[in-house]
Short mmCIF file of all heavy atoms in Angstrom, two decimals:
data_model
loop_
_atom_site.label_atom_id
_atom_site.label_comp_id
_atom_site.label_asym_id
_atom_site.label_seq_id
_atom_site.Cartn_x
_atom_site.Cartn_y
_atom_site.Cartn_z
N VAL A 148 28.99 -51.13 36.19
CA VAL A 148 30.07 -50.23 35.86
C VAL A 148 30.95 -49.89 37.09
O VAL A 148 31.90 -49.20 36.99
CB VAL A 148 29.53 -48.88 35.27
CG1 VAL A 148 28.70 -49.16 34.06
CG2 VAL A 148 28.81 -48.11 36.27
N LYS A 149 30.58 -50.44 38.27
CA LYS A 149 31.37 -50.12 39.46
C LYS A 149 32.78 -50.62 39.28
O LYS A 149 33.03 -51.73 38.82
CB LYS A 149 30.74 -50.80 40.70
CG LYS A 149 29.44 -50.11 41.14
CD LYS A 149 28.89 -50.79 42.39
CE LYS A 149 27.65 -50.10 42.88
NZ LYS A 149 27.07 -50.79 44.09
N GLY A 150 33.71 -49.73 39.73
CA GLY A 150 35.08 -50.14 39.59
C GLY A 150 35.72 -49.73 38.24
O GLY A 150 36.95 -49.80 38.09
N ARG A 151 34.91 -49.48 37.29
CA ARG A 151 35.36 -49.12 35.98
C ARG A 151 35.07 -47.64 35.62
O ARG A 151 35.90 -47.04 34.91
CB ARG A 151 34.79 -50.04 34.85
CG ARG A 151 35.15 -51.52 35.11
CD ARG A 151 34.66 -52.33 33.91
NE ARG A 151 33.20 -52.33 33.75
CZ ARG A 151 32.58 -51.84 32.62
NH1 ARG A 151 33.29 -51.40 31.63
NH2 ARG A 151 31.27 -51.88 32.57
N PHE A 152 33.91 -47.16 35.98
CA PHE A 152 33.51 -45.82 35.65
C PHE A 152 33.62 -44.93 36.88
O PHE A 152 33.38 -45.38 38.00
CB PHE A 152 32.04 -45.79 35.19
CG PHE A 152 31.78 -46.42 33.85
CD1 PHE A 152 32.81 -47.14 33.20
CD2 PHE A 152 30.59 -46.25 33.22
CE1 PHE A 152 32.56 -47.77 31.95
CE2 PHE A 152 30.33 -46.83 31.99
CZ PHE A 152 31.30 -47.55 31.34
N THR A 153 33.90 -43.65 36.71
CA THR A 153 33.99 -42.72 37.79
C THR A 153 33.30 -41.43 37.41
O THR A 153 33.63 -40.84 36.31
CB THR A 153 35.45 -42.36 38.21
OG1 THR A 153 36.15 -43.52 38.59
CG2 THR A 153 35.44 -41.32 39.30
N ILE A 154 32.30 -41.01 38.14
CA ILE A 154 31.59 -39.80 37.90
C ILE A 154 32.16 -38.61 38.80
O ILE A 154 32.38 -38.89 39.97
CB ILE A 154 30.06 -39.94 38.05
CG1 ILE A 154 29.33 -38.74 37.54
CG2 ILE A 154 29.73 -40.22 39.52
CD1 ILE A 154 27.83 -38.93 37.44
N SER A 155 32.31 -37.50 38.24
CA SER A 155 32.77 -36.35 39.02
C SER A 155 32.03 -35.14 38.55
O SER A 155 31.36 -35.10 37.54
CB SER A 155 34.25 -36.16 38.77
OG SER A 155 34.61 -35.99 37.46
N ARG A 156 32.16 -34.08 39.37
CA ARG A 156 31.35 -32.90 39.11
C ARG A 156 32.13 -31.60 39.47
O ARG A 156 32.90 -31.57 40.43
CB ARG A 156 30.08 -32.98 39.96
CG ARG A 156 29.13 -31.78 39.87
CD ARG A 156 27.82 -32.18 40.53
NE ARG A 156 26.92 -31.03 40.61
CZ ARG A 156 25.64 -31.05 40.99
NH1 ARG A 156 25.14 -32.21 41.32
NH2 ARG A 156 24.93 -29.97 41.03
N ASP A 157 31.89 -30.54 38.70
CA ASP A 157 32.42 -29.30 39.02
C ASP A 157 31.23 -28.32 39.10
O ASP A 157 30.69 -27.85 38.14
CB ASP A 157 33.36 -28.80 37.88
CG ASP A 157 34.04 -27.42 38.14
OD1 ASP A 157 33.55 -26.75 39.07
OD2 ASP A 157 35.03 -27.11 37.49
N ASN A 158 30.80 -28.06 40.38
CA ASN A 158 29.68 -27.25 40.65
C ASN A 158 29.82 -25.78 40.13
O ASN A 158 28.76 -25.18 39.74
CB ASN A 158 29.33 -27.20 42.18
CG ASN A 158 28.88 -28.59 42.63
OD1 ASN A 158 28.35 -29.41 41.88
ND2 ASN A 158 29.13 -28.86 43.95
N THR A 159 31.02 -25.27 40.14
CA THR A 159 31.17 -23.88 39.68
C THR A 159 30.93 -23.75 38.19
O THR A 159 30.65 -22.66 37.75
CB THR A 159 32.58 -23.37 40.02
OG1 THR A 159 33.56 -24.11 39.32
CG2 THR A 159 32.82 -23.52 41.48
N LYS A 160 31.08 -24.83 37.43
CA LYS A 160 30.83 -24.77 35.99
C LYS A 160 29.58 -25.53 35.56
O LYS A 160 29.33 -25.63 34.41
CB LYS A 160 32.06 -25.42 35.29
CG LYS A 160 33.37 -24.72 35.51
CD LYS A 160 34.47 -25.35 34.72
CE LYS A 160 35.83 -24.57 34.97
NZ LYS A 160 36.93 -25.28 34.25
N ASN A 161 28.81 -26.06 36.57
CA ASN A 161 27.65 -26.83 36.26
C ASN A 161 27.97 -27.97 35.28
O ASN A 161 27.24 -28.22 34.33
CB ASN A 161 26.54 -25.95 35.69
CG ASN A 161 26.01 -24.96 36.71
OD1 ASN A 161 25.80 -25.32 37.81
ND2 ASN A 161 25.79 -23.71 36.31
N MET A 162 29.04 -28.64 35.58
CA MET A 162 29.54 -29.74 34.67
C MET A 162 29.58 -31.05 35.42
O MET A 162 29.88 -31.07 36.61
CB MET A 162 30.88 -29.38 34.09
CG MET A 162 30.89 -28.26 33.05
SD MET A 162 32.50 -28.05 32.36
CE MET A 162 32.79 -29.62 31.54
N VAL A 163 29.47 -32.11 34.69
CA VAL A 163 29.61 -33.46 35.22
C VAL A 163 30.43 -34.23 34.15
O VAL A 163 30.28 -34.05 33.00
CB VAL A 163 28.28 -34.13 35.50
CG1 VAL A 163 27.50 -34.37 34.23
CG2 VAL A 163 28.54 -35.43 36.21
N ASN A 164 31.29 -35.09 34.61
CA ASN A 164 32.15 -35.90 33.76
C ASN A 164 31.99 -37.40 34.13
O ASN A 164 31.73 -37.72 35.26
CB ASN A 164 33.60 -35.51 33.91
CG ASN A 164 33.90 -34.11 33.53
OD1 ASN A 164 33.73 -33.74 32.31
ND2 ASN A 164 34.42 -33.32 34.37
N LEU A 165 32.14 -38.20 33.18
CA LEU A 165 32.14 -39.66 33.36
C LEU A 165 33.39 -40.26 32.70
O LEU A 165 33.46 -40.28 31.50
CB LEU A 165 30.86 -40.30 32.77
CG LEU A 165 30.67 -41.77 33.05
CD1 LEU A 165 30.34 -42.03 34.54
CD2 LEU A 165 29.52 -42.33 32.14
N GLN A 166 34.29 -40.67 33.57
CA GLN A 166 35.49 -41.35 33.07
C GLN A 166 35.18 -42.85 32.92
O GLN A 166 34.89 -43.50 33.99
CB GLN A 166 36.65 -41.09 34.01
CG GLN A 166 37.97 -41.75 33.64
CD GLN A 166 38.52 -41.24 32.30
OE1 GLN A 166 38.53 -40.00 32.10
NE2 GLN A 166 38.95 -42.18 31.40
N MET A 167 35.31 -43.36 31.77
CA MET A 167 35.03 -44.76 31.56
C MET A 167 36.25 -45.54 31.18
O MET A 167 36.86 -45.22 30.14
CB MET A 167 33.98 -44.88 30.40
CG MET A 167 32.70 -44.13 30.72
SD MET A 167 31.44 -44.39 29.47
CE MET A 167 32.22 -43.62 28.02
N ASN A 168 36.64 -46.46 32.00
CA ASN A 168 37.83 -47.28 31.80
C ASN A 168 37.47 -48.74 31.61
O ASN A 168 36.35 -49.14 31.99
CB ASN A 168 38.83 -47.14 32.98
CG ASN A 168 39.33 -45.74 33.20
OD1 ASN A 168 39.57 -44.96 32.17
ND2 ASN A 168 39.58 -45.36 34.42
N SER A 169 38.40 -49.52 31.09
CA SER A 169 38.14 -50.92 30.87
C SER A 169 36.84 -51.19 30.16
O SER A 169 36.03 -52.01 30.57
CB SER A 169 38.22 -51.73 32.25
OG SER A 169 39.45 -51.53 32.92
N LEU A 170 36.64 -50.51 29.12
CA LEU A 170 35.36 -50.59 28.40
C LEU A 170 35.11 -51.94 27.76
O LEU A 170 36.07 -52.59 27.29
CB LEU A 170 35.22 -49.47 27.32
CG LEU A 170 34.96 -48.08 27.92
CD1 LEU A 170 35.38 -47.00 26.84
CD2 LEU A 170 33.51 -48.01 28.25
N LYS A 171 33.92 -52.34 27.74
CA LYS A 171 33.45 -53.63 27.25
C LYS A 171 32.43 -53.43 26.13
O LYS A 171 31.76 -52.38 26.09
CB LYS A 171 32.83 -54.51 28.37
CG LYS A 171 33.66 -54.77 29.60
CD LYS A 171 32.89 -55.48 30.67
CE LYS A 171 33.70 -55.67 31.90
NZ LYS A 171 32.94 -56.35 33.00
N PRO A 172 32.30 -54.40 25.24
CA PRO A 172 31.33 -54.24 24.13
C PRO A 172 29.87 -53.97 24.68
O PRO A 172 29.16 -53.23 24.05
CB PRO A 172 31.41 -55.60 23.43
CG PRO A 172 32.82 -56.00 23.60
CD PRO A 172 33.16 -55.61 25.02
N GLU A 173 29.54 -54.58 25.82
CA GLU A 173 28.24 -54.35 26.38
C GLU A 173 27.98 -52.95 26.91
O GLU A 173 26.89 -52.56 27.30
CB GLU A 173 27.94 -55.43 27.48
CG GLU A 173 29.04 -55.48 28.56
CD GLU A 173 30.01 -56.68 28.28
OE1 GLU A 173 30.38 -56.86 27.08
OE2 GLU A 173 30.28 -57.40 29.19
N ASP A 174 29.02 -52.14 26.95
CA ASP A 174 28.94 -50.75 27.32
C ASP A 174 28.42 -49.88 26.14
O ASP A 174 28.10 -48.71 26.36
CB ASP A 174 30.27 -50.08 27.77
CG ASP A 174 30.68 -50.74 29.14
OD1 ASP A 174 29.83 -51.00 30.01
OD2 ASP A 174 31.91 -51.01 29.28
#
């Protein structure tokens, strides 16, 4: 997933996000 997915975090909200781009069937 390197180069396609990006993980980010908001510590104040105890949240994590995963932005998934260029998705493939194997995902």
Side-chain angles (χ1 to χ4, degrees):
V148 307
K149 286 181 179 178
R151 299 188 298 119
F152 292 9
T153 302
I154 190 169
S155 61
R156 179 170 174 171
D157 185 343
N158 292 333
T159 64
K160 298 181 179 180
N161 292 317
M162 290 184 62
V163 64
N164 298 299
L165 185 68
Q166 179 65 45
M167 304 185 293
N168 298 325
S169 301
L170 284 162
K171 305 175 180 179
E173 50 263 45
D174 294 318

